[in-house]
Short mmCIF file of all heavy atoms in Angstrom, two decimals:
data_model
loop_
_atom_site.label_atom_id
_atom_site.label_comp_id
_atom_site.label_asym_id
_atom_site.label_seq_id
_atom_site.Cartn_x
_atom_site.Cartn_y
_atom_site.Cartn_z
N MET A 119 0.84 -1.19 0.00
CA MET A 119 0.00 0.00 0.00
C MET A 119 0.88 1.24 0.00
O MET A 119 1.83 1.32 0.75
CB MET A 119 -0.90 -0.02 1.25
CG MET A 119 -1.78 1.21 1.34
SD MET A 119 -2.60 1.49 2.94
CE MET A 119 -3.45 -0.03 3.22
N ASN A 120 0.53 2.19 -0.86
CA ASN A 120 1.23 3.47 -0.86
C ASN A 120 0.83 4.24 0.39
O ASN A 120 -0.32 4.62 0.56
CB ASN A 120 0.85 4.24 -2.13
CG ASN A 120 1.49 5.60 -2.19
OD1 ASN A 120 2.17 6.02 -1.25
ND2 ASN A 120 1.29 6.28 -3.29
N GLN A 121 1.78 4.46 1.27
CA GLN A 121 1.51 5.07 2.57
C GLN A 121 1.04 6.52 2.45
O GLN A 121 0.38 7.03 3.34
CB GLN A 121 2.75 5.00 3.46
CG GLN A 121 3.19 3.58 3.73
CD GLN A 121 2.14 2.77 4.47
OE1 GLN A 121 1.60 3.21 5.47
NE2 GLN A 121 1.83 1.60 3.95
N LYS A 122 1.43 7.19 1.34
CA LYS A 122 1.05 8.60 1.19
C LYS A 122 -0.31 8.76 0.52
O LYS A 122 -0.82 9.86 0.41
CB LYS A 122 2.13 9.35 0.41
CG LYS A 122 3.41 9.47 1.21
CD LYS A 122 4.45 10.27 0.47
CE LYS A 122 5.71 10.37 1.32
NZ LYS A 122 6.78 11.06 0.62
N ARG A 123 -0.89 7.63 0.08
CA ARG A 123 -2.21 7.67 -0.56
C ARG A 123 -3.24 8.18 0.45
O ARG A 123 -3.23 7.78 1.61
CB ARG A 123 -2.59 6.27 -1.02
CG ARG A 123 -3.94 6.18 -1.68
CD ARG A 123 -4.26 4.74 -2.04
NE ARG A 123 -4.23 3.87 -0.88
CZ ARG A 123 -5.24 3.72 -0.02
NH1 ARG A 123 -6.35 4.40 -0.20
NH2 ARG A 123 -5.14 2.89 0.99
N LEU A 124 -4.09 9.06 0.00
CA LEU A 124 -5.13 9.58 0.88
C LEU A 124 -6.18 8.51 1.14
O LEU A 124 -6.74 7.95 0.20
CB LEU A 124 -5.78 10.83 0.30
CG LEU A 124 -4.91 12.09 0.28
CD1 LEU A 124 -5.70 13.24 -0.34
CD2 LEU A 124 -4.45 12.48 1.67
N VAL A 125 -6.42 8.24 2.40
CA VAL A 125 -7.49 7.33 2.79
C VAL A 125 -8.78 8.12 2.90
O VAL A 125 -9.82 7.71 2.43
CB VAL A 125 -7.16 6.65 4.14
CG1 VAL A 125 -8.35 5.87 4.66
CG2 VAL A 125 -5.94 5.75 3.99
N CYS A 126 -8.68 9.29 3.52
CA CYS A 126 -9.85 10.14 3.70
C CYS A 126 -9.71 11.37 2.80
O CYS A 126 -8.87 12.24 3.05
CB CYS A 126 -9.99 10.57 5.16
SG CYS A 126 -11.40 11.64 5.43
N LEU A 127 -10.52 11.40 1.76
CA LEU A 127 -10.44 12.51 0.82
C LEU A 127 -11.07 13.77 1.40
O LEU A 127 -10.63 14.87 1.11
CB LEU A 127 -11.14 12.13 -0.49
CG LEU A 127 -10.53 10.94 -1.24
CD1 LEU A 127 -11.35 10.61 -2.48
CD2 LEU A 127 -9.08 11.22 -1.60
N CYS A 128 -12.07 13.61 2.23
CA CYS A 128 -12.74 14.79 2.81
C CYS A 128 -11.79 15.59 3.70
O CYS A 128 -11.79 16.81 3.68
CB CYS A 128 -13.96 14.37 3.63
SG CYS A 128 -15.31 13.69 2.67
N LYS A 129 -11.01 14.87 4.52
CA LYS A 129 -10.15 15.53 5.51
C LYS A 129 -8.67 15.47 5.13
O LYS A 129 -7.81 15.86 5.91
CB LYS A 129 -10.37 14.92 6.89
CG LYS A 129 -11.81 14.98 7.37
CD LYS A 129 -12.28 16.42 7.56
CE LYS A 129 -13.74 16.44 8.00
NZ LYS A 129 -14.22 17.78 8.27
N HIS A 130 -8.36 14.93 3.96
CA HIS A 130 -6.99 14.85 3.45
C HIS A 130 -6.06 14.14 4.44
O HIS A 130 -5.02 14.67 4.83
CB HIS A 130 -6.45 16.25 3.12
CG HIS A 130 -7.28 16.95 2.11
ND1 HIS A 130 -8.24 17.88 2.46
CD2 HIS A 130 -7.34 16.84 0.77
CE1 HIS A 130 -8.84 18.31 1.37
NE2 HIS A 130 -8.32 17.70 0.33
N VAL A 131 -6.43 12.93 4.81
CA VAL A 131 -5.63 12.15 5.76
C VAL A 131 -5.11 10.90 5.02
O VAL A 131 -5.89 10.16 4.42
CB VAL A 131 -6.45 11.73 6.99
CG1 VAL A 131 -5.62 10.89 7.94
CG2 VAL A 131 -6.99 12.98 7.70
N SER A 132 -3.79 10.70 5.11
CA SER A 132 -3.17 9.58 4.42
C SER A 132 -3.07 8.35 5.33
O SER A 132 -3.20 8.45 6.56
CB SER A 132 -1.77 9.97 3.96
OG SER A 132 -0.93 10.13 5.09
N ALA A 133 -2.77 7.22 4.72
CA ALA A 133 -2.55 5.99 5.48
C ALA A 133 -1.37 6.17 6.42
O ALA A 133 -1.37 5.68 7.55
CB ALA A 133 -2.30 4.83 4.52
N LEU A 134 -0.36 6.92 5.98
CA LEU A 134 0.83 7.15 6.81
C LEU A 134 0.46 7.93 8.08
O LEU A 134 0.92 7.59 9.17
CB LEU A 134 1.88 7.91 6.01
CG LEU A 134 3.18 8.21 6.75
CD1 LEU A 134 3.87 6.91 7.17
CD2 LEU A 134 4.12 9.03 5.88
N GLU A 135 -0.37 8.94 7.92
CA GLU A 135 -0.80 9.72 9.09
C GLU A 135 -1.58 8.85 10.07
O GLU A 135 -1.40 8.97 11.29
CB GLU A 135 -1.67 10.90 8.65
CG GLU A 135 -0.90 11.98 7.92
CD GLU A 135 -1.82 13.04 7.34
OE1 GLU A 135 -2.32 13.87 8.11
OE2 GLU A 135 -2.05 13.00 6.12
N ILE A 136 -2.41 7.98 9.56
CA ILE A 136 -3.17 7.07 10.43
C ILE A 136 -2.22 6.14 11.16
O ILE A 136 -2.32 5.94 12.37
CB ILE A 136 -4.21 6.28 9.60
CG1 ILE A 136 -5.29 7.24 9.10
CG2 ILE A 136 -4.82 5.15 10.41
CD1 ILE A 136 -6.25 6.65 8.09
N LYS A 137 -1.25 5.61 10.43
CA LYS A 137 -0.29 4.69 11.07
C LYS A 137 0.56 5.41 12.11
O LYS A 137 0.91 4.83 13.14
CB LYS A 137 0.58 4.01 10.01
CG LYS A 137 -0.23 2.98 9.26
CD LYS A 137 0.62 2.11 8.39
CE LYS A 137 -0.28 1.03 7.77
NZ LYS A 137 0.39 0.28 6.75
N LYS A 138 0.89 6.66 11.86
CA LYS A 138 1.65 7.43 12.86
C LYS A 138 0.85 7.57 14.16
O LYS A 138 1.40 7.47 15.25
CB LYS A 138 2.02 8.81 12.31
CG LYS A 138 3.19 8.78 11.37
CD LYS A 138 3.52 10.19 10.89
CE LYS A 138 4.69 10.18 9.93
NZ LYS A 138 4.96 11.53 9.40
N LYS A 139 -0.45 7.82 14.03
CA LYS A 139 -1.30 7.94 15.23
C LYS A 139 -1.42 6.59 15.93
O LYS A 139 -1.42 6.53 17.17
CB LYS A 139 -2.70 8.46 14.87
CG LYS A 139 -2.69 9.88 14.37
CD LYS A 139 -2.17 10.86 15.41
CE LYS A 139 -2.20 12.27 14.88
NZ LYS A 139 -1.40 13.19 15.68
N LEU A 140 -1.51 5.51 15.17
CA LEU A 140 -1.56 4.19 15.79
C LEU A 140 -0.26 3.91 16.53
O LEU A 140 -0.26 3.41 17.66
CB LEU A 140 -1.81 3.11 14.73
CG LEU A 140 -3.21 3.11 14.11
CD1 LEU A 140 -3.24 2.26 12.86
CD2 LEU A 140 -4.24 2.63 15.12
N HIS A 141 0.84 4.27 15.91
CA HIS A 141 2.15 4.07 16.53
C HIS A 141 2.29 4.91 17.80
O HIS A 141 2.93 4.51 18.76
CB HIS A 141 3.25 4.41 15.53
CG HIS A 141 4.61 3.98 15.99
ND1 HIS A 141 4.96 2.65 16.12
CD2 HIS A 141 5.69 4.70 16.37
CE1 HIS A 141 6.21 2.59 16.56
NE2 HIS A 141 6.67 3.80 16.72
N ALA A 142 1.65 6.08 17.79
CA ALA A 142 1.71 6.99 18.95
C ALA A 142 0.79 6.54 20.08
O ALA A 142 0.84 7.10 21.17
CB ALA A 142 1.36 8.41 18.53
N GLY A 143 -0.07 5.55 19.80
CA GLY A 143 -0.89 5.03 20.88
C GLY A 143 -2.38 4.94 20.63
O GLY A 143 -3.11 4.39 21.45
N ALA A 144 -2.87 5.48 19.51
CA ALA A 144 -4.29 5.35 19.21
C ALA A 144 -4.60 3.87 19.00
O ALA A 144 -3.79 3.11 18.46
CB ALA A 144 -4.65 6.14 17.95
N LEU A 145 -5.78 3.45 19.46
CA LEU A 145 -6.11 2.02 19.44
C LEU A 145 -7.39 1.69 18.67
O LEU A 145 -7.64 0.52 18.40
CB LEU A 145 -6.26 1.50 20.87
CG LEU A 145 -5.01 1.55 21.74
CD1 LEU A 145 -5.37 1.24 23.18
CD2 LEU A 145 -3.97 0.59 21.22
N THR A 146 -8.16 2.69 18.35
CA THR A 146 -9.46 2.42 17.72
C THR A 146 -9.71 3.40 16.57
O THR A 146 -9.08 4.45 16.48
CB THR A 146 -10.61 2.59 18.73
OG1 THR A 146 -10.65 3.96 19.14
CG2 THR A 146 -10.43 1.69 19.94
N THR A 147 -10.67 3.05 15.75
CA THR A 147 -11.08 3.95 14.67
C THR A 147 -11.60 5.26 15.24
O THR A 147 -11.32 6.33 14.70
CB THR A 147 -12.15 3.26 13.80
OG1 THR A 147 -11.57 2.09 13.21
CG2 THR A 147 -12.65 4.18 12.70
N SER A 148 -12.32 5.19 16.34
CA SER A 148 -12.83 6.42 16.97
C SER A 148 -11.70 7.35 17.36
O SER A 148 -11.81 8.57 17.21
CB SER A 148 -13.66 6.07 18.20
OG SER A 148 -14.80 5.36 17.83
N GLU A 149 -10.62 6.78 17.87
CA GLU A 149 -9.48 7.61 18.26
C GLU A 149 -8.80 8.20 17.03
O GLU A 149 -8.37 9.35 17.05
CB GLU A 149 -8.50 6.81 19.11
CG GLU A 149 -9.07 6.54 20.49
CD GLU A 149 -8.19 5.65 21.34
OE1 GLU A 149 -7.29 4.96 20.81
OE2 GLU A 149 -8.41 5.65 22.55
N ILE A 150 -8.71 7.43 15.96
CA ILE A 150 -8.15 7.96 14.71
C ILE A 150 -9.01 9.12 14.23
O ILE A 150 -8.51 10.17 13.81
CB ILE A 150 -8.06 6.85 13.64
CG1 ILE A 150 -7.06 5.78 14.04
CG2 ILE A 150 -7.71 7.45 12.27
CD1 ILE A 150 -5.64 6.26 14.22
N GLN A 151 -10.33 8.96 14.33
CA GLN A 151 -11.23 10.05 13.92
C GLN A 151 -11.02 11.28 14.79
O GLN A 151 -11.00 12.40 14.29
CB GLN A 151 -12.68 9.58 14.01
CG GLN A 151 -13.04 8.56 12.95
CD GLN A 151 -14.44 8.03 13.12
OE1 GLN A 151 -14.80 7.50 14.15
NE2 GLN A 151 -15.23 8.17 12.07
N LYS A 152 -10.85 11.05 16.08
CA LYS A 152 -10.68 12.16 17.01
C LYS A 152 -9.37 12.91 16.75
O LYS A 152 -9.34 14.15 16.76
CB LYS A 152 -10.69 11.61 18.44
CG LYS A 152 -10.53 12.66 19.51
CD LYS A 152 -10.62 12.01 20.88
CE LYS A 152 -10.39 13.02 21.99
NZ LYS A 152 -10.43 12.39 23.31
N PHE A 153 -8.30 12.19 16.49
CA PHE A 153 -6.98 12.82 16.39
C PHE A 153 -6.60 13.28 14.99
O PHE A 153 -5.70 14.09 14.83
CB PHE A 153 -5.91 11.89 16.95
CG PHE A 153 -6.11 11.60 18.41
CD1 PHE A 153 -6.26 10.30 18.86
CD2 PHE A 153 -6.18 12.63 19.33
CE1 PHE A 153 -6.47 10.03 20.20
CE2 PHE A 153 -6.40 12.36 20.68
CZ PHE A 153 -6.54 11.07 21.12
N THR A 154 -7.28 12.74 13.94
CA THR A 154 -6.95 13.16 12.58
C THR A 154 -8.14 13.78 11.84
O THR A 154 -7.94 14.38 10.79
CB THR A 154 -6.46 11.97 11.72
OG1 THR A 154 -7.56 11.08 11.50
CG2 THR A 154 -5.31 11.23 12.38
N ALA A 155 -9.34 13.57 12.35
CA ALA A 155 -10.59 13.98 11.70
C ALA A 155 -10.93 13.09 10.51
O ALA A 155 -11.96 13.28 9.87
CB ALA A 155 -10.59 15.45 11.30
N ALA A 156 -10.08 12.11 10.20
CA ALA A 156 -10.41 11.17 9.12
C ALA A 156 -11.72 10.47 9.44
O ALA A 156 -11.97 10.10 10.59
CB ALA A 156 -9.30 10.13 8.97
N GLY A 157 -12.56 10.33 8.45
CA GLY A 157 -13.82 9.63 8.64
C GLY A 157 -14.92 10.47 9.25
O GLY A 157 -16.00 9.96 9.55
N THR A 158 -14.66 11.76 9.44
CA THR A 158 -15.68 12.61 10.06
C THR A 158 -16.42 13.48 9.05
O THR A 158 -17.19 14.34 9.44
CB THR A 158 -15.06 13.50 11.16
OG1 THR A 158 -14.08 14.34 10.56
CG2 THR A 158 -14.43 12.66 12.26
N GLY A 159 -16.16 13.24 7.78
CA GLY A 159 -16.88 13.98 6.74
C GLY A 159 -18.02 13.13 6.23
O GLY A 159 -19.00 12.89 6.94
N CYS A 160 -17.88 12.61 5.03
CA CYS A 160 -18.95 11.81 4.42
C CYS A 160 -19.05 10.41 5.03
O CYS A 160 -20.07 9.75 4.92
CB CYS A 160 -18.72 11.69 2.91
SG CYS A 160 -17.32 10.65 2.45
N GLY A 161 -17.95 9.95 5.64
CA GLY A 161 -17.95 8.63 6.28
C GLY A 161 -17.60 7.49 5.37
O GLY A 161 -17.52 6.34 5.81
N ARG A 162 -17.38 7.76 4.11
CA ARG A 162 -17.11 6.71 3.13
C ARG A 162 -15.83 5.93 3.44
O ARG A 162 -15.70 4.77 3.10
CB ARG A 162 -17.02 7.34 1.75
CG ARG A 162 -16.85 6.36 0.62
CD ARG A 162 -16.81 7.06 -0.70
NE ARG A 162 -15.74 8.06 -0.71
CZ ARG A 162 -15.56 8.98 -1.63
NH1 ARG A 162 -16.39 9.05 -2.63
NH2 ARG A 162 -14.58 9.83 -1.57
N CYS A 163 -14.88 6.56 4.12
CA CYS A 163 -13.58 5.93 4.37
C CYS A 163 -13.51 5.16 5.69
O CYS A 163 -12.48 4.56 5.98
CB CYS A 163 -12.50 7.00 4.37
SG CYS A 163 -12.76 8.22 5.67
N VAL A 164 -14.55 5.17 6.48
CA VAL A 164 -14.49 4.57 7.82
C VAL A 164 -14.14 3.08 7.76
O VAL A 164 -13.34 2.59 8.57
CB VAL A 164 -15.81 4.81 8.60
CG1 VAL A 164 -15.83 4.03 9.90
CG2 VAL A 164 -15.99 6.29 8.86
N ARG A 165 -14.70 2.37 6.79
CA ARG A 165 -14.39 0.93 6.69
C ARG A 165 -12.92 0.72 6.39
O ARG A 165 -12.30 -0.22 6.89
CB ARG A 165 -15.26 0.28 5.62
CG ARG A 165 -16.71 0.15 6.08
CD ARG A 165 -17.56 -0.54 5.08
NE ARG A 165 -17.17 -1.95 5.01
CZ ARG A 165 -17.66 -2.80 4.13
NH1 ARG A 165 -18.53 -2.41 3.26
NH2 ARG A 165 -17.26 -4.05 4.13
N GLU A 166 -12.33 1.59 5.59
CA GLU A 166 -10.90 1.45 5.28
C GLU A 166 -10.05 1.78 6.51
O GLU A 166 -9.04 1.14 6.77
CB GLU A 166 -10.51 2.33 4.10
CG GLU A 166 -9.07 2.08 3.69
CD GLU A 166 -8.66 2.75 2.39
OE1 GLU A 166 -9.52 3.37 1.73
OE2 GLU A 166 -7.48 2.63 2.05
N ILE A 167 -10.48 2.80 7.27
CA ILE A 167 -9.77 3.12 8.52
C ILE A 167 -9.85 1.92 9.46
O ILE A 167 -8.85 1.52 10.07
CB ILE A 167 -10.36 4.39 9.18
CG1 ILE A 167 -10.18 5.59 8.27
CG2 ILE A 167 -9.68 4.64 10.53
CD1 ILE A 167 -10.97 6.81 8.71
N ASP A 168 -11.04 1.33 9.58
CA ASP A 168 -11.21 0.12 10.40
C ASP A 168 -10.21 -0.96 9.98
O ASP A 168 -9.57 -1.57 10.83
CB ASP A 168 -12.62 -0.47 10.23
CG ASP A 168 -13.66 0.22 11.07
OD1 ASP A 168 -13.30 0.87 12.07
OD2 ASP A 168 -14.85 0.10 10.72
N ALA A 169 -10.09 -1.16 8.67
CA ALA A 169 -9.19 -2.20 8.16
C ALA A 169 -7.74 -1.89 8.51
O ALA A 169 -6.98 -2.80 8.89
CB ALA A 169 -9.37 -2.35 6.66
N ILE A 170 -7.34 -0.64 8.40
CA ILE A 170 -5.97 -0.24 8.73
C ILE A 170 -5.72 -0.46 10.22
O ILE A 170 -4.67 -1.00 10.61
CB ILE A 170 -5.71 1.23 8.33
CG1 ILE A 170 -5.72 1.37 6.82
CG2 ILE A 170 -4.38 1.71 8.92
CD1 ILE A 170 -5.72 2.80 6.32
N VAL A 171 -6.68 -0.07 11.05
CA VAL A 171 -6.54 -0.23 12.51
C VAL A 171 -6.44 -1.72 12.86
O VAL A 171 -5.55 -2.13 13.60
CB VAL A 171 -7.72 0.44 13.26
CG1 VAL A 171 -7.71 0.06 14.74
CG2 VAL A 171 -7.67 1.95 13.09
N GLU A 172 -7.34 -2.53 12.30
CA GLU A 172 -7.33 -3.97 12.59
C GLU A 172 -6.03 -4.62 12.15
O GLU A 172 -5.45 -5.43 12.88
CB GLU A 172 -8.51 -4.66 11.92
CG GLU A 172 -9.83 -4.37 12.62
CD GLU A 172 -11.02 -4.94 11.88
OE1 GLU A 172 -10.84 -5.92 11.11
OE2 GLU A 172 -12.12 -4.41 12.06
N LYS A 173 -5.56 -4.26 10.97
CA LYS A 173 -4.31 -4.84 10.46
C LYS A 173 -3.13 -4.44 11.36
O LYS A 173 -2.30 -5.27 11.71
CB LYS A 173 -4.06 -4.37 9.03
CG LYS A 173 -2.84 -4.97 8.38
CD LYS A 173 -2.79 -4.61 6.90
CE LYS A 173 -1.66 -5.35 6.23
NZ LYS A 173 -0.50 -4.54 5.97
N TYR A 174 -3.11 -3.17 11.75
CA TYR A 174 -2.02 -2.69 12.61
C TYR A 174 -2.05 -3.43 13.95
O TYR A 174 -1.01 -3.85 14.46
CB TYR A 174 -2.16 -1.18 12.83
CG TYR A 174 -1.03 -0.59 13.64
CD1 TYR A 174 0.15 -0.20 13.03
CD2 TYR A 174 -1.14 -0.45 15.02
CE1 TYR A 174 1.19 0.33 13.77
CE2 TYR A 174 -0.10 0.08 15.77
CZ TYR A 174 1.06 0.47 15.14
OH TYR A 174 2.09 0.99 15.89
N MET A 175 -3.24 -3.58 14.51
CA MET A 175 -3.36 -4.26 15.81
C MET A 175 -2.93 -5.72 15.70
O MET A 175 -2.28 -6.26 16.59
CB MET A 175 -4.80 -4.19 16.33
CG MET A 175 -5.25 -2.81 16.69
SD MET A 175 -4.18 -2.06 17.93
CE MET A 175 -4.65 -0.36 17.79
N ARG A 176 -3.32 -6.36 14.59
CA ARG A 176 -2.93 -7.76 14.38
C ARG A 176 -1.41 -7.87 14.26
O ARG A 176 -0.80 -8.75 14.86
CB ARG A 176 -3.58 -8.27 13.09
CG ARG A 176 -4.32 -9.55 13.24
CD ARG A 176 -4.92 -10.12 11.97
NE ARG A 176 -4.67 -9.47 10.71
CZ ARG A 176 -5.52 -8.64 10.10
NH1 ARG A 176 -6.67 -8.37 10.65
NH2 ARG A 176 -5.23 -8.10 8.95
N GLU A 177 -0.82 -6.98 13.49
CA GLU A 177 0.62 -7.04 13.24
C GLU A 177 1.44 -6.69 14.48
O GLU A 177 2.53 -7.21 14.67
CB GLU A 177 1.01 -6.11 12.09
CG GLU A 177 0.53 -6.63 10.76
CD GLU A 177 0.77 -5.64 9.62
OE1 GLU A 177 1.20 -4.49 9.86
OE2 GLU A 177 0.51 -6.02 8.48
N THR A 178 0.93 -5.76 15.28
CA THR A 178 1.70 -5.33 16.45
C THR A 178 1.23 -6.02 17.72
O THR A 178 1.85 -5.88 18.77
CB THR A 178 1.58 -3.81 16.67
OG1 THR A 178 0.21 -3.48 16.88
CG2 THR A 178 2.12 -3.05 15.48
N ARG A 179 0.11 -6.76 17.61
CA ARG A 179 -0.47 -7.47 18.76
C ARG A 179 -0.71 -6.54 19.93
O ARG A 179 -0.44 -6.88 21.08
CB ARG A 179 0.41 -8.63 19.19
CG ARG A 179 0.55 -9.66 18.12
CD ARG A 179 1.45 -10.76 18.54
NE ARG A 179 1.69 -11.63 17.42
CZ ARG A 179 1.58 -12.94 17.48
NH1 ARG A 179 1.25 -13.53 18.59
NH2 ARG A 179 1.81 -13.66 16.43
N LYS A 180 -1.18 -5.34 19.62
CA LYS A 180 -1.52 -4.41 20.69
C LYS A 180 -2.76 -4.89 21.41
O LYS A 180 -3.71 -5.34 20.78
CB LYS A 180 -1.79 -3.00 20.14
CG LYS A 180 -0.55 -2.19 19.94
CD LYS A 180 -0.94 -0.76 19.68
CE LYS A 180 0.28 0.12 19.59
NZ LYS A 180 -0.07 1.50 19.32
N ASP A 181 -2.75 -4.76 22.71
CA ASP A 181 -3.90 -5.15 23.51
C ASP A 181 -4.83 -3.95 23.62
O ASP A 181 -4.46 -2.93 24.20
CB ASP A 181 -3.43 -5.59 24.89
CG ASP A 181 -4.57 -6.05 25.76
OD1 ASP A 181 -5.74 -5.89 25.37
OD2 ASP A 181 -4.28 -6.55 26.85
N PRO A 182 -6.06 -4.04 23.07
CA PRO A 182 -6.97 -2.89 23.14
C PRO A 182 -7.35 -2.50 24.57
O PRO A 182 -7.88 -1.42 24.80
CB PRO A 182 -8.21 -3.34 22.37
CG PRO A 182 -7.97 -4.72 21.95
CD PRO A 182 -6.61 -5.15 22.37
N GLN A 183 -7.09 -3.37 25.53
CA GLN A 183 -7.39 -3.04 26.92
C GLN A 183 -6.36 -2.08 27.49
O GLN A 183 -6.60 -1.40 28.47
CB GLN A 183 -7.41 -4.32 27.78
CG GLN A 183 -8.47 -5.30 27.35
CD GLN A 183 -9.86 -4.74 27.46
OE1 GLN A 183 -10.18 -4.10 28.46
NE2 GLN A 183 -10.69 -4.95 26.46
N PHE A 184 -5.19 -2.03 26.85
CA PHE A 184 -4.11 -1.17 27.31
C PHE A 184 -4.34 0.22 26.76
O PHE A 184 -4.43 0.42 25.56
CB PHE A 184 -2.76 -1.72 26.85
CG PHE A 184 -1.60 -0.88 27.28
CD1 PHE A 184 -1.19 -0.87 28.60
CD2 PHE A 184 -0.93 -0.11 26.37
CE1 PHE A 184 -0.12 -0.09 29.00
CE2 PHE A 184 0.15 0.67 26.75
CZ PHE A 184 0.55 0.67 28.07
N ARG A 185 -4.48 1.21 27.61
CA ARG A 185 -4.82 2.55 27.17
C ARG A 185 -3.67 3.52 27.42
O ARG A 185 -3.03 3.49 28.46
CB ARG A 185 -6.04 3.07 27.92
CG ARG A 185 -7.20 2.13 27.92
CD ARG A 185 -7.77 1.91 26.55
NE ARG A 185 -8.30 3.15 26.03
CZ ARG A 185 -8.68 3.32 24.79
NH1 ARG A 185 -8.61 2.35 23.95
NH2 ARG A 185 -9.14 4.46 24.40
N ILE A 186 -3.44 4.39 26.47
CA ILE A 186 -2.50 5.48 26.63
C ILE A 186 -3.31 6.76 26.61
O ILE A 186 -4.14 6.96 25.72
CB ILE A 186 -1.45 5.50 25.52
CG1 ILE A 186 -0.60 4.23 25.62
CG2 ILE A 186 -0.57 6.75 25.60
CD1 ILE A 186 0.40 4.07 24.51
N ILE A 187 -3.09 7.62 27.55
CA ILE A 187 -3.83 8.86 27.64
C ILE A 187 -3.15 9.93 26.79
O ILE A 187 -1.99 10.22 26.97
CB ILE A 187 -3.92 9.37 29.10
CG1 ILE A 187 -4.39 8.26 30.03
CG2 ILE A 187 -4.77 10.63 29.18
CD1 ILE A 187 -5.83 7.86 29.87
N PHE A 188 -3.90 10.49 25.83
CA PHE A 188 -3.38 11.59 25.02
C PHE A 188 -3.66 12.90 25.71
O PHE A 188 -4.69 13.07 26.32
CB PHE A 188 -4.05 11.60 23.64
CG PHE A 188 -3.61 10.49 22.75
CD1 PHE A 188 -4.29 9.30 22.75
CD2 PHE A 188 -2.51 10.65 21.94
CE1 PHE A 188 -3.90 8.26 21.93
CE2 PHE A 188 -2.11 9.63 21.12
CZ PHE A 188 -2.80 8.44 21.11
N LYS A 189 -2.75 13.82 25.59
CA LYS A 189 -2.97 15.16 26.19
C LYS A 189 -3.03 16.17 25.06
O LYS A 189 -2.45 16.05 24.06
CB LYS A 189 -1.83 15.51 27.13
CG LYS A 189 -1.76 14.56 28.30
CD LYS A 189 -2.09 15.24 29.55
CE LYS A 189 -2.15 14.22 30.67
NZ LYS A 189 -2.52 14.79 31.88
S1 FES B 397 -13.63 10.33 2.61
FE1 FES B 397 -13.27 10.26 4.74
S2 FES B 397 -14.96 11.29 5.58
FE2 FES B 397 -15.28 11.46 3.44
#
């Protein structure tokens, strides 16, 4: 996947930006929406964000019960 490809056209958010937020501690699609605004326009990209989040969690084996507090 081209990391610079825009996942969310409404909010101009790329796959790379989503992965950076996941790496920084975001754990869910809701958190990605909160921190990048991706998926908060027409909503067409939410399923793709879900897929990116799920793939990242599978690959990194992050425990969704483990929470990091963003400030
Ligand atoms: S394409 Fe992401 S909200 Fe519209």
